[in-house]
Amino acid sequence: TLTEDRILYSSPKSILFWDFEPPCEQYSTLQNLEEGVSKYFPDGKRFLTAGGNMVKVCKTSGLFEDFVIPMPFGDVSDLEITRDGKRAVIGSQRGFLSVWDLNRRCLEFSIKAHKEMIFVLKLTADGKRVISHSEDNKLKVWNLETRAEEFCFSGLGTDTRAIAVTKDGNKVIVGSFDSTLSIFDLSQKKRINILRGHTNSILSIGITPDDGRLVSASGDQSIKVWDLKRCSQEFTLTGHKHIIWTLAIFPDGNRVASASFDSVVKIWNLKHRFEEIS
């Protein structure tokens, strides 16, 4: 994940921190962690790291532990933080969705959202809804205010790991292992388009802050940039020598960072369509 000036790179059993401005130096590492997922708070001052049946809230300054959230609902599979940094939404391998108040350090509520493991979560920008996809082959939209399911779609396949939501909260894009990108309209509660172009599984996607572009990373070792309004492909970026498993778009929308199984993190310039840093 990204802040204005740093990259948090989570790998099995360790977290690496990098300054992404030249010379793009690694400045710290946390090791001996349980394998899991990590996310920065929006202000970049803290981050969450999850492994096994607990979530740790850590401060970036000094990299020390602030407090621990126990997870009685099964091992953590994914997590999200609201933009105001007040809530964490956590999915578990047992299909539970739990919402935590990070200021009061307590559980707000938990629901059995899916029958199987939750693969991926994604919050809308206003923090009022969360989208979940599970091993039970269901994509669901949850209202965090009413705590109710708003929408459910089946048929994407069990191997879906990439979800993005437009800033206005109207559209959800899902990248699948069948190499397609599905676009859902939440007001219409249906899939409205399918984008094709990748030749292998789509593992990570992101949307630029202006909702103009969709960026997708794939097992075909490429990054594709799409015009989201026209639902058409703009261009492809290549350079990684292995599967690209994650990407993150910079706050200005002009650059994207990608990480691959070739053990390389690259930073790409979307405006001029070239690789800036590797």
Side-chain angles (χ1 to χ4, degrees):
T1 56
L2 296 173
T3 64
E4 292 291 337
D5 58 356
R6 289 173 176 174
I7 296 174
L8 181 155
Y9 178 85
S10 180
S11 61
K13 307 214 180 271
S14 66
I15 301 174
L16 284 68
F17 299 84
W18 294 78
D19 289 317
F20 59 63
E21 296 296 343
C24 205
E25 294 180 338
Q26 180 182 339
Y27 69 90
S28 192
T29 304
L30 287 180
Q31 295 180 330
N32 301 317
L33 301 172
E34 290 194 58
E35 187 171 352
V37 60
S38 301
K39 297 280 178 72
Y40 264 127
F41 278 73
D43 61 8
K45 295 180 180 179
R46 294 186 296 171
F47 63 94
L48 291 181
T49 179
N53 61 355
M54 68 176 62
V55 177
K56 294 181 179 181
V57 182
C58 301
K59 292 186 177 181
T60 307
S61 176
L63 301 179
F64 64 88
E65 187 178 300
D66 194 5
F67 63 94
V68 175
I69 300 172
M71 283 296 295
F73 312 108
D75 288 357
V76 176
S77 55
D78 200 13
L79 59 85
E80 283 278 275
I81 307 169
T82 55
R83 292 197 174 189
D84 59 11
K86 295 179 179 180
R87 289 169 125 187
V89 183
I90 302 171
S92 83
Q93 294 185 15
R94 289 166 52 192
F96 282 91
L97 185 70
S98 58
V99 178
W100 292 78
D101 185 316
L102 296 176
N103 289 335
R104 294 189 296 163
R105 304 184 181 185
C106 66
L107 176 68
E108 287 189 28
F109 66 90
S110 181
I111 53 177
K112 178 66 171 174
H114 292 272
K115 293 181 179 180
E116 306 291 343
M117 173 181 173
I118 295 174
F119 283 142
V120 59
L121 296 173
K122 188 62 64 174
L123 280 165
T124 54
D126 60 10
K128 294 180 179 179
R129 290 185 291 181
V130 65
I131 295 87
S132 61
H133 188 267
S134 164
E135 195 174 11
D136 63 13
N137 194 23
K138 287 181 171 60
L139 177 77
K140 295 186 177 184
V141 180
W142 301 89
N143 187 310
L144 297 182
E145 296 185 330
T146 64
R147 306 181 185 183
E149 178 187 316
E150 289 188 350
F151 168 60
C152 178
F153 181 85
S154 301
L156 288 171
T158 57
D159 293 321
T160 295
R161 301 290 194 278
I163 295 178
V165 186
T166 54
K167 191 175 182 180
D168 60 17
N170 291 329
K171 291 183 176 62
V172 175
I173 296 87
V174 179
S176 300
F177 274 29
D178 66 1
S179 75
T180 64
L181 291 151
S182 295
I183 302 176
F184 293 86
D185 188 299
L186 295 188
S187 62
Q188 299 181 49
K189 296 184 178 180
K190 68 177 184 180
R191 180 161 52 184
I192 59 172
N193 214 324
I194 300 176
L195 304 180
R196 295 180 173 86
H198 282 291
T199 58
N200 206 323
S201 304
I202 296 173
L203 301 177
S204 184
I205 59 177
I207 298 172
T208 54
D210 62 0
D211 282 347
R213 283 172 160 174
L214 169 69
V215 185
S216 56
S218 169
D220 64 14
Q221 304 176 28
S222 75
I223 295 171
K224 290 187 181 293
V225 180
W226 311 78
D227 185 315
L228 198 49
K229 294 179 180 178
R230 297 180 180 179
C231 293
S232 61
Q233 184 179 322
E234 288 190 27
F235 59 92
T236 301
L237 298 168
T238 58
H240 280 294
K241 301 184 184 304
H242 212 301
I243 293 169
I244 304 170
W245 62 273
T246 190
L247 63 78
I249 297 173
F250 282 65
D252 63 8
N254 292 324
R255 292 185 294 174
V256 61
S258 61
S260 166
F261 286 153
D262 60 12
S263 301
V264 174
V265 175
K266 294 180 181 289
I267 296 177
W268 309 84
N269 187 305
L270 298 181
K271 186 176 181 179
H272 299 292
R273 307 183 182 186
F274 73 97
E275 178 186 319
E276 281 190 1
I277 301 170
S278 178

